[in-house]
Amino acid sequence: MTSPPSRETPPPASPCAPPSPATDRLRRESTQARAGARSRALGGYAVYVLLALALWAAHHGSETLGLGPAAAQAAVLVMFTIGAWAFGLFPEPITTLTFFLLATLLRVAKPEVIFAGFHSAAWWLVFGGAVTGIAVRTTGLGSRLAATLFDLRRPTYARYVASVMVACVGLAFVMPSTTGRILLLIPIVLALADRVGLTQGRRGRTGLVMTVAAASYMPPTTILPANIPNSVLMGAADSFYGVKLHYAPYLLLHFPVLGALKAAILVWVICRLFPDDGPLTHARGAAPPPFTPDARRLSVLLALALAGFATDAWHGISPAWISVAAAIVCLLPAIQIVSPKTFTEQMHITPLVYVAGFLGVGAVVADTGLGEKVARWCLDAVGMAPGAPVVNAAWLIAIGAAIGLVATLPGLPAVLTPLAGQLSGASGLPLYTVLMLQVPVFSTVLLPYQSPPMMIAMHLGGVGMRDGTRLTVVMTIITLVLLFPLDYLWWRALGVLP
Protein backbone atom coordinates (compact mmCIF):
# COMPACT_ATOMS: atom_id res chain seq x y z
CA MET A 1 0.00 0.00 0.00
CA THR A 2 1.51 3.23 -1.11
CA SER A 3 1.28 6.31 1.03
CA PRO A 4 -0.05 9.53 -0.52
CA PRO A 5 2.59 11.90 -1.72
CA SER A 6 3.48 14.37 0.98
CA ARG A 7 3.31 18.08 0.34
CA GLU A 8 6.55 19.88 0.55
CA THR A 9 6.62 22.47 3.33
CA PRO A 10 8.73 25.58 2.82
CA PRO A 11 11.83 25.71 4.91
CA PRO A 12 11.65 27.96 7.96
CA ALA A 13 12.75 31.50 7.43
CA SER A 14 16.31 32.09 8.32
CA PRO A 15 16.75 34.36 11.30
CA CYS A 16 19.26 36.27 9.22
CA ALA A 17 16.77 36.82 6.38
CA PRO A 18 15.74 40.48 5.89
CA PRO A 19 12.16 41.31 7.05
CA SER A 20 9.45 41.70 4.47
CA PRO A 21 8.33 45.24 3.52
CA ALA A 22 4.98 44.74 5.33
CA THR A 23 6.69 43.64 8.54
CA ASP A 24 9.10 46.53 8.32
CA ARG A 25 6.23 49.00 7.86
CA LEU A 26 4.34 47.61 10.86
CA ARG A 27 7.47 47.93 13.00
CA ARG A 28 7.94 51.55 11.92
CA GLU A 29 4.29 52.40 12.65
CA SER A 30 4.51 50.72 16.08
CA THR A 31 7.69 52.63 16.89
CA GLN A 32 6.13 55.91 15.74
CA ALA A 33 3.01 55.25 17.82
CA ARG A 34 5.09 54.58 20.95
CA ALA A 35 7.16 57.69 20.29
CA GLY A 36 3.99 59.77 19.81
CA ALA A 37 2.48 58.46 23.05
CA ARG A 38 5.73 59.20 24.89
CA SER A 39 5.83 62.74 23.43
CA ARG A 40 2.23 63.39 24.47
CA ALA A 41 2.95 62.15 27.98
CA LEU A 42 6.04 64.37 28.26
CA GLY A 43 4.05 67.29 26.84
CA GLY A 44 1.38 66.76 29.49
CA TYR A 45 4.00 66.78 32.25
CA ALA A 46 5.49 69.96 30.78
CA VAL A 47 2.10 71.67 30.80
CA TYR A 48 1.62 70.81 34.47
CA VAL A 49 5.10 72.14 35.29
CA LEU A 50 4.32 75.41 33.47
CA LEU A 51 0.99 75.60 35.30
CA ALA A 52 2.73 75.20 38.67
CA LEU A 53 5.24 77.92 37.77
CA ALA A 54 2.47 80.26 36.58
CA LEU A 55 0.49 79.72 39.80
CA TRP A 56 3.60 80.47 41.87
CA ALA A 57 4.31 83.62 39.85
CA ALA A 58 0.67 84.73 40.13
CA HIS A 59 0.78 84.34 43.91
CA HIS A 60 3.96 86.40 44.28
CA GLY A 61 3.38 88.93 41.52
CA SER A 62 -0.35 89.57 41.78
CA GLU A 63 0.02 93.22 42.80
CA THR A 64 1.41 94.14 39.39
CA LEU A 65 -1.89 93.02 37.86
CA GLY A 66 -3.97 94.85 40.42
CA LEU A 67 -5.36 91.56 41.75
CA GLY A 68 -5.15 89.74 45.05
CA PRO A 69 -3.15 86.47 45.19
CA ALA A 70 -6.29 84.30 45.06
CA ALA A 71 -7.76 86.25 42.13
CA ALA A 72 -4.45 86.11 40.22
CA GLN A 73 -4.22 82.34 40.72
CA ALA A 74 -7.86 82.04 39.70
CA ALA A 75 -7.01 83.87 36.47
CA VAL A 76 -4.18 81.41 35.76
CA LEU A 77 -6.44 78.42 36.48
CA VAL A 78 -9.23 79.75 34.29
CA MET A 79 -6.83 80.38 31.38
CA PHE A 80 -5.32 76.91 31.78
CA THR A 81 -8.72 75.22 31.86
CA ILE A 82 -10.10 77.13 28.90
CA GLY A 83 -6.92 76.57 26.88
CA ALA A 84 -6.84 72.84 27.66
CA TRP A 85 -10.49 72.49 26.63
CA ALA A 86 -10.08 74.57 23.47
CA PHE A 87 -6.95 72.81 22.20
CA GLY A 88 -7.65 69.34 23.59
CA LEU A 89 -4.44 69.15 25.63
CA PHE A 90 -5.96 66.48 27.89
CA PRO A 91 -9.13 64.42 27.90
CA GLU A 92 -11.89 66.75 29.16
CA PRO A 93 -12.52 64.97 32.51
CA ILE A 94 -8.81 65.32 33.40
CA THR A 95 -8.85 69.06 32.68
CA THR A 96 -12.06 69.56 34.63
CA LEU A 97 -10.93 67.53 37.65
CA THR A 98 -7.58 69.38 37.66
CA PHE A 99 -9.48 72.67 37.86
CA PHE A 100 -11.63 71.39 40.74
CA LEU A 101 -8.63 70.07 42.66
CA LEU A 102 -6.32 73.08 42.29
CA ALA A 103 -9.08 75.65 42.80
CA THR A 104 -10.00 73.94 46.07
CA LEU A 105 -6.44 73.47 47.33
CA LEU A 106 -5.44 77.04 46.46
CA ARG A 107 -8.70 78.44 47.87
CA VAL A 108 -9.28 80.72 44.90
CA ALA A 109 -12.96 80.70 45.83
CA LYS A 110 -15.29 79.03 48.28
CA PRO A 111 -16.08 75.35 47.60
CA GLU A 112 -19.73 76.19 47.00
CA VAL A 113 -18.58 78.51 44.19
CA ILE A 114 -16.06 76.08 42.67
CA PHE A 115 -18.57 73.20 42.67
CA ALA A 116 -21.54 75.42 41.83
CA GLY A 117 -22.11 73.43 38.66
CA PHE A 118 -23.20 70.31 40.54
CA HIS A 119 -26.09 72.06 42.26
CA SER A 120 -27.05 74.35 39.38
CA ALA A 121 -30.26 73.94 37.45
CA ALA A 122 -28.29 73.47 34.21
CA TRP A 123 -26.51 70.37 35.57
CA TRP A 124 -29.77 68.73 36.61
CA LEU A 125 -31.34 69.67 33.29
CA VAL A 126 -28.56 67.75 31.54
CA PHE A 127 -28.90 64.80 33.92
CA GLY A 128 -32.65 64.52 33.43
CA GLY A 129 -32.31 64.98 29.68
CA ALA A 130 -29.69 62.24 29.48
CA VAL A 131 -32.11 59.79 31.12
CA THR A 132 -35.00 60.70 28.81
CA GLY A 133 -32.57 60.53 25.87
CA ILE A 134 -31.80 56.93 26.79
CA ALA A 135 -35.53 56.26 26.95
CA VAL A 136 -36.16 57.82 23.53
CA ARG A 137 -33.43 55.68 22.03
CA THR A 138 -34.20 52.34 23.67
CA THR A 139 -38.00 52.43 23.26
CA GLY A 140 -37.77 53.17 19.51
CA LEU A 141 -39.69 56.43 19.93
CA GLY A 142 -36.79 58.39 18.44
CA SER A 143 -36.85 56.33 15.26
CA ARG A 144 -40.60 56.74 14.97
CA LEU A 145 -40.45 60.50 15.48
CA ALA A 146 -37.60 60.78 12.98
CA ALA A 147 -39.62 58.83 10.43
CA THR A 148 -42.59 61.15 10.97
CA LEU A 149 -40.88 64.54 11.23
CA PHE A 150 -38.22 64.10 8.54
CA ASP A 151 -40.07 62.11 5.89
CA LEU A 152 -38.87 64.06 2.84
CA ARG A 153 -40.24 63.69 -0.67
CA ARG A 154 -36.80 63.93 -2.29
CA PRO A 155 -34.37 62.99 0.47
CA THR A 156 -30.81 64.26 0.16
CA TYR A 157 -28.21 65.02 2.78
CA ALA A 158 -28.55 68.79 2.27
CA ARG A 159 -32.34 68.57 2.63
CA TYR A 160 -31.98 66.66 5.88
CA VAL A 161 -29.61 69.32 7.23
CA ALA A 162 -32.05 72.07 6.21
CA SER A 163 -35.03 70.28 7.75
CA VAL A 164 -33.18 69.79 11.05
CA MET A 165 -32.25 73.50 10.98
CA VAL A 166 -35.89 74.51 10.51
CA ALA A 167 -36.98 72.20 13.32
CA CYS A 168 -34.38 73.65 15.73
CA VAL A 169 -35.17 77.29 14.99
CA GLY A 170 -38.93 76.68 14.94
CA LEU A 171 -38.83 74.95 18.32
CA ALA A 172 -37.02 77.97 19.78
CA PHE A 173 -40.19 80.04 19.36
CA VAL A 174 -42.16 77.79 21.74
CA MET A 175 -39.49 76.25 24.03
CA PRO A 176 -37.30 78.72 25.96
CA SER A 177 -34.58 76.31 27.12
CA THR A 178 -31.68 75.79 24.70
CA THR A 179 -30.42 72.73 26.55
CA GLY A 180 -33.95 71.38 26.75
CA ARG A 181 -34.33 71.68 22.99
CA ILE A 182 -31.01 69.93 22.46
CA LEU A 183 -31.87 67.10 24.83
CA LEU A 184 -35.18 66.63 23.04
CA LEU A 185 -33.79 66.78 19.48
CA ILE A 186 -30.45 64.96 19.70
CA PRO A 187 -31.96 61.46 20.21
CA ILE A 188 -34.43 62.10 17.38
CA VAL A 189 -31.71 63.33 14.99
CA LEU A 190 -29.44 60.40 15.91
CA ALA A 191 -32.34 58.09 15.14
CA LEU A 192 -32.78 59.91 11.82
CA ALA A 193 -29.09 59.36 11.06
CA ASP A 194 -29.42 55.65 11.78
CA ARG A 195 -32.57 55.47 9.68
CA VAL A 196 -30.98 56.99 6.57
CA GLY A 197 -27.71 55.09 6.92
CA LEU A 198 -25.50 57.81 8.41
CA THR A 199 -23.74 55.45 10.76
CA GLN A 200 -21.11 56.28 13.37
CA GLY A 201 -18.01 57.75 11.75
CA ARG A 202 -19.70 59.16 8.64
CA ARG A 203 -19.29 62.88 8.03
CA GLY A 204 -22.99 63.29 7.47
CA ARG A 205 -23.78 62.10 11.00
CA THR A 206 -21.36 64.70 12.38
CA GLY A 207 -23.03 67.33 10.21
CA LEU A 208 -26.51 66.53 11.55
CA VAL A 209 -25.30 66.67 15.16
CA MET A 210 -23.52 69.99 14.57
CA THR A 211 -26.71 71.31 12.95
CA VAL A 212 -28.58 70.66 16.19
CA ALA A 213 -25.74 72.12 18.27
CA ALA A 214 -25.39 75.33 16.25
CA ALA A 215 -29.03 75.86 15.27
CA SER A 216 -30.28 75.41 18.83
CA TYR A 217 -28.04 78.21 20.11
CA MET A 218 -26.92 80.68 17.41
CA PRO A 219 -30.12 81.82 15.59
CA PRO A 220 -32.31 81.60 18.75
CA THR A 221 -30.17 84.27 20.47
CA THR A 222 -32.28 86.65 18.37
CA ILE A 223 -35.54 85.36 19.87
CA LEU A 224 -36.61 86.64 23.30
CA PRO A 225 -36.37 84.69 25.63
CA ALA A 226 -35.21 81.58 23.79
CA ASN A 227 -31.98 81.03 25.73
CA ILE A 228 -30.02 82.06 28.81
CA PRO A 229 -28.02 85.09 27.51
CA ASN A 230 -31.14 86.85 26.17
CA SER A 231 -32.98 86.19 29.45
CA VAL A 232 -30.04 87.48 31.55
CA LEU A 233 -29.78 90.58 29.35
CA MET A 234 -33.52 91.22 29.63
CA GLY A 235 -33.48 90.93 33.44
CA ALA A 236 -30.24 92.89 33.96
CA ALA A 237 -31.29 95.76 31.66
CA ASP A 238 -34.51 96.17 33.62
CA SER A 239 -32.82 95.78 37.01
CA PHE A 240 -29.92 98.22 36.42
CA TYR A 241 -31.43 100.82 34.10
CA GLY A 242 -35.20 100.26 33.95
CA VAL A 243 -34.90 99.40 30.25
CA LYS A 244 -37.56 96.85 29.33
CA LEU A 245 -36.86 94.66 26.31
CA HIS A 246 -39.94 93.66 24.34
CA TYR A 247 -40.40 90.61 22.13
CA ALA A 248 -41.32 92.19 18.77
CA PRO A 249 -38.72 95.03 18.65
CA TYR A 250 -35.98 92.64 19.78
CA LEU A 251 -36.99 90.12 17.08
CA LEU A 252 -37.17 92.81 14.38
CA LEU A 253 -33.74 94.18 15.28
CA HIS A 254 -31.84 90.89 15.45
CA PHE A 255 -33.66 88.03 13.71
CA PRO A 256 -33.49 89.02 10.00
CA VAL A 257 -29.66 88.99 9.83
CA LEU A 258 -28.34 87.10 12.87
CA GLY A 259 -31.29 84.68 12.94
CA ALA A 260 -32.76 83.83 9.54
CA LEU A 261 -29.76 84.68 7.33
CA LYS A 262 -27.29 83.04 9.71
CA ALA A 263 -29.45 79.88 9.76
CA ALA A 264 -29.35 79.69 5.96
CA ILE A 265 -25.57 80.22 5.94
CA LEU A 266 -25.17 77.53 8.61
CA VAL A 267 -26.86 74.99 6.34
CA TRP A 268 -24.47 75.85 3.50
CA VAL A 269 -21.37 75.79 5.74
CA ILE A 270 -22.28 72.47 7.38
CA CYS A 271 -22.82 70.84 4.00
CA ARG A 272 -19.37 72.09 2.92
CA LEU A 273 -17.46 71.26 6.09
CA PHE A 274 -19.10 67.87 6.66
CA PRO A 275 -20.01 66.61 3.18
CA ASP A 276 -21.46 63.16 2.80
CA ASP A 277 -21.54 61.78 -0.71
CA GLY A 278 -22.20 58.20 0.38
CA PRO A 279 -25.46 56.40 -0.28
CA LEU A 280 -28.45 57.19 1.91
CA THR A 281 -31.08 54.68 2.89
CA HIS A 282 -34.20 56.19 1.41
CA ALA A 283 -36.78 55.05 3.92
CA ARG A 284 -39.71 56.98 2.47
CA GLY A 285 -42.82 54.82 2.39
CA ALA A 286 -41.33 52.24 4.75
CA ALA A 287 -43.40 51.29 7.77
CA PRO A 288 -42.34 53.23 10.91
CA PRO A 289 -41.11 51.24 13.90
CA PRO A 290 -43.88 49.68 16.02
CA PHE A 291 -45.47 51.91 18.64
CA THR A 292 -44.73 49.85 21.74
CA PRO A 293 -46.45 50.43 25.11
CA ASP A 294 -43.21 51.89 26.49
CA ALA A 295 -42.94 54.27 23.52
CA ARG A 296 -46.59 55.28 23.99
CA ARG A 297 -46.08 56.04 27.68
CA LEU A 298 -42.87 57.92 26.91
CA SER A 299 -44.55 60.05 24.23
CA VAL A 300 -47.20 61.17 26.73
CA LEU A 301 -44.48 61.94 29.29
CA LEU A 302 -42.43 63.97 26.81
CA ALA A 303 -45.51 65.90 25.68
CA LEU A 304 -46.19 66.87 29.29
CA ALA A 305 -42.52 67.81 29.80
CA LEU A 306 -42.52 69.93 26.62
CA ALA A 307 -45.65 71.72 27.79
CA GLY A 308 -43.91 72.38 31.11
CA PHE A 309 -40.80 73.70 29.35
CA ALA A 310 -42.82 76.05 27.15
CA THR A 311 -44.86 77.51 30.03
CA ASP A 312 -42.18 77.89 32.72
CA ALA A 313 -42.67 81.68 32.75
CA TRP A 314 -46.27 81.06 33.81
CA HIS A 315 -45.92 78.36 36.47
CA GLY A 316 -42.42 79.32 37.70
CA ILE A 317 -40.99 75.78 37.79
CA SER A 318 -37.52 75.56 36.26
CA PRO A 319 -37.15 73.31 33.20
CA ALA A 320 -34.41 71.53 35.18
CA TRP A 321 -36.85 70.15 37.74
CA ILE A 322 -39.33 69.23 35.03
CA SER A 323 -36.52 67.29 33.34
CA VAL A 324 -35.59 65.53 36.61
CA ALA A 325 -39.24 64.64 37.25
CA ALA A 326 -39.48 63.10 33.77
CA ALA A 327 -36.29 61.11 34.45
CA ILE A 328 -37.71 59.79 37.72
CA VAL A 329 -40.89 58.65 35.99
CA CYS A 330 -38.80 56.83 33.37
CA LEU A 331 -36.91 54.99 36.15
CA LEU A 332 -39.91 54.13 38.36
CA PRO A 333 -40.16 50.33 38.86
CA ALA A 334 -43.90 50.42 38.20
CA ILE A 335 -43.31 52.01 34.79
CA GLN A 336 -39.64 51.17 34.11
CA ILE A 337 -39.31 52.72 30.71
CA VAL A 338 -35.56 52.66 31.47
CA SER A 339 -34.43 49.59 33.42
CA PRO A 340 -31.66 49.81 36.07
CA LYS A 341 -29.39 47.71 33.83
CA THR A 342 -29.92 50.03 30.85
CA PHE A 343 -29.37 53.08 33.04
CA THR A 344 -26.10 51.66 34.40
CA GLU A 345 -24.76 50.72 30.97
CA GLN A 346 -25.80 53.77 28.95
CA MET A 347 -25.61 56.68 31.41
CA HIS A 348 -22.26 58.39 30.72
CA ILE A 349 -20.60 60.54 33.37
CA THR A 350 -18.19 62.46 31.10
CA PRO A 351 -20.74 65.06 29.89
CA LEU A 352 -21.93 65.60 33.46
CA VAL A 353 -18.40 66.23 34.74
CA TYR A 354 -17.75 68.63 31.87
CA VAL A 355 -20.98 70.56 32.47
CA ALA A 356 -20.09 70.95 36.15
CA GLY A 357 -16.62 72.11 35.08
CA PHE A 358 -17.58 74.96 32.76
CA LEU A 359 -20.31 76.09 35.15
CA GLY A 360 -17.72 76.11 37.94
CA VAL A 361 -15.31 78.14 35.81
CA GLY A 362 -18.03 80.70 35.11
CA ALA A 363 -18.90 80.90 38.81
CA VAL A 364 -15.25 81.46 39.77
CA VAL A 365 -14.88 84.19 37.11
CA ALA A 366 -17.96 85.97 38.45
CA ASP A 367 -17.07 85.50 42.15
CA THR A 368 -13.50 86.77 41.81
CA GLY A 369 -14.45 89.74 39.60
CA LEU A 370 -12.22 88.60 36.74
CA GLY A 371 -14.82 89.33 34.08
CA GLU A 372 -15.38 92.89 35.24
CA LYS A 373 -11.61 93.39 35.57
CA VAL A 374 -11.06 92.26 31.97
CA ALA A 375 -13.81 94.60 30.79
CA ARG A 376 -12.23 97.59 32.54
CA TRP A 377 -8.77 96.69 31.17
CA CYS A 378 -10.20 96.56 27.64
CA LEU A 379 -12.05 99.84 28.10
CA ASP A 380 -8.90 101.59 29.33
CA ALA A 381 -6.86 100.09 26.49
CA VAL A 382 -9.06 101.15 23.55
CA GLY A 383 -9.59 104.76 24.63
CA MET A 384 -12.95 105.36 22.92
CA ALA A 385 -14.16 108.91 22.27
CA PRO A 386 -17.65 110.05 21.21
CA GLY A 387 -18.18 111.00 17.59
CA ALA A 388 -17.09 107.78 15.85
CA PRO A 389 -20.15 105.48 16.11
CA VAL A 390 -18.92 102.81 13.70
CA VAL A 391 -15.49 102.51 15.32
CA ASN A 392 -16.94 102.61 18.83
CA ALA A 393 -19.52 99.94 18.02
CA ALA A 394 -16.70 97.75 16.70
CA TRP A 395 -14.69 98.36 19.88
CA LEU A 396 -17.68 97.40 22.04
CA ILE A 397 -18.09 94.17 20.11
CA ALA A 398 -14.36 93.44 20.48
CA ILE A 399 -14.53 94.07 24.25
CA GLY A 400 -17.51 91.74 24.52
CA ALA A 401 -15.70 89.07 22.51
CA ALA A 402 -12.67 89.27 24.82
CA ILE A 403 -14.89 88.86 27.88
CA GLY A 404 -16.75 86.00 26.21
CA LEU A 405 -13.50 84.06 25.87
CA VAL A 406 -13.01 84.26 29.65
CA ALA A 407 -16.49 84.30 31.16
CA THR A 408 -18.18 82.18 28.40
CA LEU A 409 -21.15 83.58 26.49
CA PRO A 410 -23.96 82.86 28.99
CA GLY A 411 -22.09 84.97 31.57
CA LEU A 412 -21.40 87.83 29.16
CA PRO A 413 -24.57 89.90 29.86
CA ALA A 414 -24.05 89.55 33.62
CA VAL A 415 -20.57 91.11 33.25
CA LEU A 416 -21.24 93.75 30.57
CA THR A 417 -24.70 95.04 31.54
CA PRO A 418 -23.58 96.69 34.82
CA LEU A 419 -20.89 98.50 32.76
CA ALA A 420 -23.27 99.56 29.97
CA GLY A 421 -23.76 103.04 31.41
CA GLN A 422 -20.01 103.63 31.52
CA LEU A 423 -19.59 102.17 28.03
CA SER A 424 -22.39 104.39 26.73
CA GLY A 425 -20.70 107.50 28.14
CA ALA A 426 -17.32 106.55 26.72
CA SER A 427 -18.63 105.73 23.24
CA GLY A 428 -21.31 108.37 22.91
CA LEU A 429 -23.82 105.72 21.81
CA PRO A 430 -27.31 105.50 23.34
CA LEU A 431 -27.68 103.15 26.31
CA TYR A 432 -30.22 100.98 24.42
CA THR A 433 -27.78 100.58 21.53
CA VAL A 434 -24.95 99.59 23.88
CA LEU A 435 -27.21 96.99 25.50
CA MET A 436 -28.29 95.60 22.13
CA LEU A 437 -24.68 95.35 20.91
CA GLN A 438 -24.26 92.44 23.33
CA VAL A 439 -26.50 90.27 21.12
CA PRO A 440 -24.14 90.12 18.09
CA VAL A 441 -21.38 89.15 20.53
CA PHE A 442 -23.09 86.31 22.38
CA SER A 443 -24.65 85.02 19.15
CA THR A 444 -21.13 84.49 17.72
CA VAL A 445 -19.28 81.43 19.04
CA LEU A 446 -15.55 81.44 18.32
CA LEU A 447 -14.77 78.22 20.24
CA PRO A 448 -17.36 75.60 21.27
CA TYR A 449 -16.56 75.74 25.01
CA GLN A 450 -18.02 79.29 25.06
CA SER A 451 -21.49 77.83 24.53
CA PRO A 452 -22.34 75.13 27.10
CA PRO A 453 -25.44 73.93 25.17
CA MET A 454 -23.35 73.38 22.04
CA MET A 455 -20.83 71.33 24.02
CA ILE A 456 -23.64 69.25 25.50
CA ALA A 457 -24.99 68.53 22.01
CA MET A 458 -21.54 67.54 20.78
CA HIS A 459 -21.00 65.21 23.74
CA LEU A 460 -24.39 63.54 23.35
CA GLY A 461 -23.89 63.21 19.59
CA GLY A 462 -20.33 61.87 19.79
CA VAL A 463 -18.70 64.82 17.99
CA GLY A 464 -15.16 65.84 18.96
CA MET A 465 -13.83 69.31 19.74
CA ARG A 466 -11.91 69.50 16.46
CA ASP A 467 -15.03 69.22 14.30
CA GLY A 468 -16.92 71.65 16.52
CA THR A 469 -14.09 74.18 16.38
CA ARG A 470 -13.94 73.99 12.58
CA LEU A 471 -17.58 75.03 12.35
CA THR A 472 -17.44 77.80 14.95
CA VAL A 473 -14.26 79.37 13.54
CA VAL A 474 -15.60 79.38 9.97
CA MET A 475 -18.93 80.86 11.14
CA THR A 476 -17.08 83.53 13.12
CA ILE A 477 -15.10 84.56 10.03
CA ILE A 478 -18.28 84.72 7.91
CA THR A 479 -20.02 86.71 10.65
CA LEU A 480 -17.21 89.26 10.85
CA VAL A 481 -16.86 89.64 7.08
CA LEU A 482 -20.51 89.47 5.99
CA LEU A 483 -23.12 89.41 8.74
CA PHE A 484 -21.83 92.21 10.98
CA PRO A 485 -21.66 94.74 8.09
CA LEU A 486 -25.17 93.73 7.00
CA ASP A 487 -26.35 93.97 10.60
CA TYR A 488 -24.88 97.48 10.84
CA LEU A 489 -26.79 98.57 7.73
CA TRP A 490 -29.99 97.02 9.11
CA TRP A 491 -29.56 98.81 12.45
CA ARG A 492 -28.97 102.11 10.64
CA ALA A 493 -32.13 101.57 8.61
CA LEU A 494 -34.05 101.07 11.86
CA GLY A 495 -32.44 104.13 13.46
CA VAL A 496 -30.72 102.22 16.28
CA LEU A 497 -27.23 103.28 15.13
CA PRO A 498 -26.42 106.78 13.90
Side-chain angles (χ1 to χ4, degrees):
M1 187 175 180
T2 60
S3 58
S6 60
R7 296 181 180 176
E8 293 185 0
T9 57
S14 170
C16 298
S20 65
T23 303
D24 190 49
R25 187 182 70 252
L26 290 175
R27 286 180 180 173
R28 285 199 306 270
E29 291 176 353
S30 177
T31 302
Q32 291 172 357
R34 287 196 300 270
R38 192 178 301 112
S39 299
R40 286 191 295 271
L42 292 175
Y45 296 142
V47 169
Y48 276 117
V49 170
L50 292 175
L51 174 61
L53 293 174
L55 290 171
W56 180 86
H59 179 76
H60 290 84
S62 58
E63 293 182 0
T64 59
L65 300 175
L67 299 172
Q73 289 182 321
V76 171
L77 268 182
V78 168
M79 288 189 292
F80 159 76
T81 306
I82 289 174
W85 281 338
F87 297 104
L89 300 181
F90 306 100
E92 284 153 12
I94 294 177
T95 300
T96 306
L97 294 175
T98 300
F99 167 77
F100 286 147
L101 176 64
L102 294 180
T104 305
L105 293 178
L106 298 172
R107 299 180 181 179
V108 300
K110 297 178 180 179
E112 55 266 31
V113 175
I114 298 169
F115 297 100
F118 286 105
H119 56 79
S120 69
W123 193 90
W124 288 102
L125 185 64
V126 175
F127 175 85
V131 176
T132 53
I134 293 172
V136 168
R137 185 169 58 252
T138 56
T139 60
L141 180 62
S143 299
R144 188 177 182 90
L145 289 174
T148 303
L149 296 176
F150 303 110
D151 187 20
L152 305 180
R153 291 184 178 277
R154 290 180 293 172
T156 63
Y157 172 63
R159 289 175 183 268
Y160 281 125
V161 171
S163 63
V164 171
M165 178 68 65
V166 171
C168 292
V169 177
L171 192 59
F173 283 94
V174 297
M175 187 175 179
S177 169
T178 309
T179 308
R181 295 192 298 271
I182 284 172
L183 295 175
L184 179 68
L185 288 171
I186 279 290
I188 297 174
V189 169
L190 290 179
L192 167 67
D194 293 333
R195 181 177 174 82
V196 300
L198 295 174
T199 54
Q200 191 71 36
R202 281 186 60 168
R203 305 291 292 165
R205 188 183 187 91
T206 301
L208 289 181
V209 172
M210 286 310 302
T211 302
V212 177
S216 296
Y217 175 78
M218 292 183 187
T221 56
T222 64
I223 304 167
L224 199 68
N227 58 18
I228 291 176
N230 337 24
S231 301
V232 173
L233 175 60
M234 181 172 62
D238 189 14
S239 175
F240 283 98
Y241 307 106
V243 176
K244 298 187 182 298
L245 304 183
H246 299 285
Y247 184 91
Y250 186 96
L251 188 73
L252 177 64
L253 182 63
H254 300 295
F255 186 76
V257 176
L258 298 179
L261 182 57
K262 179 175 275 192
I265 292 174
L266 268 170
V267 172
W268 179 81
V269 170
I270 288 171
C271 290
R272 292 297 182 274
L273 289 181
F274 310 106
D276 195 292
D277 300 326
L280 297 179
T281 303
H282 301 309
R284 180 171 175 80
F291 205 36
T292 62
D294 281 347
R296 189 176 295 110
R297 287 194 292 268
L298 180 60
S299 63
V300 173
L301 177 62
L302 289 180
L304 293 174
L306 179 58
F309 289 152
T311 58
D312 66 334
W314 173 68
H315 54 66
I317 301 175
S318 169
W321 314 130
I322 297 172
S323 179
V324 172
I328 292 173
V329 172
C330 290
L331 294 167
L332 283 175
I335 300 177
Q336 207 172 84
I337 297 174
V338 177
S339 67
K341 183 175 183 294
T342 301
F343 176 80
T344 302
E345 292 176 348
Q346 300 192 24
M347 187 68 180
H348 302 298
I349 193 173
T350 297
L352 297 175
V353 172
Y354 179 75
V355 169
F358 63 65
L359 292 174
V361 168
V364 168
V365 169
D367 185 73
T368 56
L370 288 176
E372 184 177 349
K373 192 72 176 178
V374 171
R376 295 191 182 279
W377 281 340
C378 293
L379 185 58
D380 293 340
V382 299
M384 286 186 294
V390 178
V391 176
N392 289 341
W395 276 125
L396 291 176
I397 290 175
I399 291 172
I403 297 170
L405 288 171
V406 177
T408 69
L409 297 178
L412 179 67
V415 174
L416 270 185
T417 304
L419 302 174
Q422 184 178 350
L423 295 172
S424 174
S427 64
L429 296 173
L431 176 62
Y432 180 78
T433 300
V434 172
L435 291 171
M436 289 299 96
L437 280 172
Q438 295 183 38
V439 180
V441 179
F442 63 64
S443 69
T444 305
V445 183
L446 175 60
L447 297 172
Y449 79 87
Q450 294 179 276
S451 172
M454 287 187 63
M455 288 300 304
I456 292 168
M458 290 163 58
H459 274 293
L460 295 177
V463 174
M465 181 71 80
R466 180 176 299 177
D467 286 326
T469 301
R470 289 177 62 207
L471 175 62
T472 55
V473 169
V474 170
M475 283 304 302
T476 297
I477 294 172
I478 292 175
T479 300
L480 292 174
V481 173
L482 176 64
L483 294 181
F484 278 176
L486 291 176
D487 209 32
Y488 170 74
L489 295 175
W490 178 244
W491 284 34
R492 285 200 62 180
L494 296 177
V496 177
L497 273 173

